[in-house]
Amino acid sequence: MPPRLTLLPRLPRYLTQDELRRLFAVIAYPRDLVLFTLIYHHGLRVGEVALLRRGDVDLARQRIIVWRLKHGAWSAQPLFAGTAELIARHLATIPADLEGPLFPGQGGPLRKRQIQSLFARYRDLAGLPCHFTCHSLRHSIA
């Protein structure tokens, strides 16, 4: 009888520090820079960052409320000082409605597919391999 092969789980793809620098260097639009910085720093899923509202950000306490898609839990997470600065500049450019989306698009909040498409555009501009996705960015913080 032949030996049984065991399949090892595939490890998630992630970007190296050099690849991250190249990606963030090509993001010129401030909204997109904040968007992808939050995905990276907090390990957010695309759907989680799309759900963020302006009222979820508390700059006075340097916190952000994140609603997790799995298990429906929420958590208050600390903001890095650099991330808080980016968010503060971004907040100055969007309506002050606390229930409004943190990342507005045309006619409402950015949708998951729009965020994924933006990532693909920046990834290509940075000359990164096409196997990297927003989910790879999420795994890069670990």
Side-chain angles (χ1 to χ4, degrees):
M1 199 155 120
R4 179 178 280 184
L5 296 175
T6 58
L7 297 176
L8 296 174
R10 196 177 70 160
L11 295 174
R13 292 193 167 111
Y14 59 91
L15 287 83
T16 64
Q17 290 296 306
D18 180 57
E19 291 165 334
L20 287 165
R21 276 190 285 278
R22 287 171 38 206
L23 175 70
F24 282 106
V26 299
I27 301 175
Y29 193 50
R31 179 201 67 191
D32 298 346
L33 184 60
V34 174
L35 173 78
F36 293 117
T37 299
L38 283 173
I39 290 173
Y40 171 61
H41 281 170
H42 293 281
L44 300 180
R45 291 178 173 83
V46 176
E48 292 166 346
V49 80
L51 288 175
L52 288 173
R53 296 170 302 184
R54 185 182 172 120
D56 294 331
V57 176
D58 184 352
L59 290 176
R61 293 185 182 154
Q62 299 281 307
R63 301 247 179 240
I64 187 167
I65 303 293
V66 175
W67 298 91
R68 294 293 179 181
L69 291 177
K70 290 194 176 184
H71 310 296
W74 64 273
S75 64
Q77 298 185 5
L79 287 171
F80 292 105
T83 307
E85 285 179 35
L86 290 174
I87 291 174
R89 280 188 261 154
H90 172 64
L91 290 177
T93 66
I94 62 174
D97 176 20
L98 292 179
E99 293 301 314
L102 184 58
F103 300 108
Q106 293 178 352
L110 284 179
R111 291 181 295 281
K112 285 173 57 171
R113 294 281 182 217
Q114 290 172 309
I115 295 169
Q116 291 165 338
S117 177
L118 283 170
F119 181 85
R121 186 177 341 147
Y122 290 125
R123 177 199 62 212
D124 294 345
L125 280 173
L128 298 173
C130 63
H131 63 78
F132 288 127
T133 64
C134 280
H135 206 72
S136 304
L137 188 59
R138 164 186 158 77
H139 285 291
S140 298
I141 193 65

